[in-house]
Amino acid sequence: MAPRSATPVPMILTVSDLAVAQGGMAILEGLSFDLAPGAALVLRGPNGIGKTTLLRTVAGLLPPRAGRIALPAEGTAYAGHADGLKAVLSVAENLRFWARIYGTADIAPALSAMDLQAHADRPAQTLSAGQKRRLGLARLLVSGRRLWLLDEPTVSLDAASVGLFAGAVRAHLARGGAALMATHVDLGLDEAELLDLLAFRARPPAAGQGGGFDGAFDGPFDGAFT
């Protein structure tokens, strides 16, 4: 990851000395990085290192244990493991719902970017797993948010669909957006830098101090901690 520039640059995301927790116990600490317009940062590390926890903390779904997160004033767009679809609504109705939430109007570019035009009138519950994933990711394109937070976004996608999504991310960066993502798939983004989270694994508590675990999680459980 490149060092911070001495020349002031308007950052989309600034993370300073961040520590994140899982089950009341710190799992990552000392994280500091910036994301400038047009930048992408890919989180790397073994399963269980804390990639999902970090993304959920930056998204505001979990409280940070320590440190500071500075986000865009308009907020972020987060794509987690769930597609977030209404099964009985059509593809177009799902996108229109999210477009209204985000205050945007035109869903046509999102349908085109994720190759969903032919399925616009189909109920989401009739889609294949890959089509549902493409529809879930199309929400990003109607969000109008400059910062995308992506947790294994290519799950269930075939090679052609991965290419579509990579193109959508590339276009987002070209428009001055930024992306923080956990993915094991090479999206072919020359702009992307890597951040190995192993270097920020939290030290275990000293004997007798305990970890603060009381059996309650720090936030909503979505079935995956990676």
Side-chain angles (χ1 to χ4, degrees):
M1 184 174 57
R4 293 180 177 178
S5 172
T7 303
V9 177
M11 294 297 164
I12 292 180
L13 170 67
T14 298
V15 171
S16 303
D17 200 24
L18 183 68
V20 302
Q22 185 182 106
M25 182 178 296
I27 56 172
L28 295 170
E29 60 187 7
L31 279 158
S32 294
F33 58 87
D34 297 321
L35 274 180
L41 184 61
V42 178
L43 305 175
R44 288 291 166 84
N47 289 340
I49 191 64
K51 298 186 289 292
T52 290
T53 302
L54 174 58
L55 286 167
R56 289 172 63 83
T57 301
V58 174
L61 300 174
L62 296 173
R65 188 177 179 91
R68 178 174 173 269
I69 303 170
L71 296 168
E74 76 277 9
T76 67
Y78 172 67
H81 294 169
D83 294 322
L85 307 178
K86 294 291 187 181
V88 298
L89 296 183
S90 70
V91 167
E93 288 169 337
N94 268 282
L95 280 182
R96 289 192 192 102
F97 170 81
W98 286 106
R100 288 194 295 270
I101 292 292
Y102 287 116
T104 56
D106 190 5
I107 65 169
L111 288 170
S112 176
M114 299 310 295
D115 194 23
L116 291 168
Q117 307 98 309
H119 308 292
D121 297 324
R122 287 180 57 186
Q125 61 191 358
T126 69
L127 301 176
S128 69
Q131 290 164 346
K132 288 177 181 177
R133 190 60 172 167
R134 282 173 16 225
L135 176 54
L137 293 172
R139 290 183 300 151
L140 298 166
L141 306 180
V142 301
S143 72
R145 300 298 194 252
R146 291 191 299 156
L147 177 59
W148 289 1
L149 305 173
L150 311 171
D151 193 359
E152 298 295 347
T154 60
V155 170
S156 300
L157 296 184
D158 59 20
S161 297
V162 170
L164 287 175
F165 178 66
V169 175
R170 194 174 294 112
H172 175 66
L173 300 180
R175 292 191 295 267
L180 177 65
M181 66 185 84
T183 178
H184 296 291
V185 175
D186 182 4
L187 296 178
L189 300 174
D190 295 335
E191 306 90 336
E193 298 182 15
L194 302 180
L195 178 61
D196 190 344
L197 296 182
L198 271 175
F200 302 96
R201 189 195 295 270
R203 292 168 294 180
Q209 289 185 348
F213 178 70
D214 60 2
F217 291 104
D218 290 323
F221 173 60
D222 68 356
F225 290 118
T226 57

